[in-house]
Amino acid sequence: MSEDPVVVAREARTRRVGAIAWPSFFAAGVATMWFFAVVDPIELAAISWPHAEVSRELGYTIGFFMFWACTASASLFTAMLLGPPARDVQARTQ
């Protein structure tokens, strides 16, 4: 008995997104903690954007999302190198 190919494809895609999003989220959190343990976001904002008023919380938020974008792109690139999920779907439905 084979499963519905649409359901199998959706599950494969969901696993792929989870395999990219969760490790990148965790790595971004760790990178944010390490980076802002050394760098004050207000001082960084004064150097980067001297005419903008940036609070400490906004600096942390911008930093986190920047790190998340970097780690998500690295995870996405790794997922692309692993190959398309279509091979997994075809193998499970045959």
Side-chain angles (χ1 to χ4, degrees):
M1 180 170 95
S2 68
E3 296 180 33
D4 182 21
V6 174
V7 173
V8 173
R10 188 177 307 132
E11 288 174 357
R13 225 174 304 125
T14 302
R15 280 193 302 273
R16 177 73 49 118
V17 168
I20 294 168
W22 172 244
S24 63
F25 178 84
F26 181 75
V30 172
T32 301
M33 287 186 286
W34 279 98
F35 182 77
F36 289 117
V38 177
V39 177
D40 183 21
I42 293 179
E43 291 180 17
L44 181 62
I47 294 168
S48 303
W49 306 293
H51 302 296
E53 196 67 35
V54 177
S55 68
R56 186 167 273 122
E57 291 81 12
L58 181 60
Y60 291 141
T61 303
I62 292 170
F64 172 77
F65 283 112
M66 179 198 64
F67 283 122
W68 197 7
C70 292
T71 55
S73 64
S75 293
L76 179 62
F77 184 66
T78 301
M80 289 170 51
L81 290 176
L82 290 175
R87 285 188 234 149
D88 298 335
V89 171
Q90 290 172 355
R92 287 181 59 190
T93 56
Q94 291 178 357

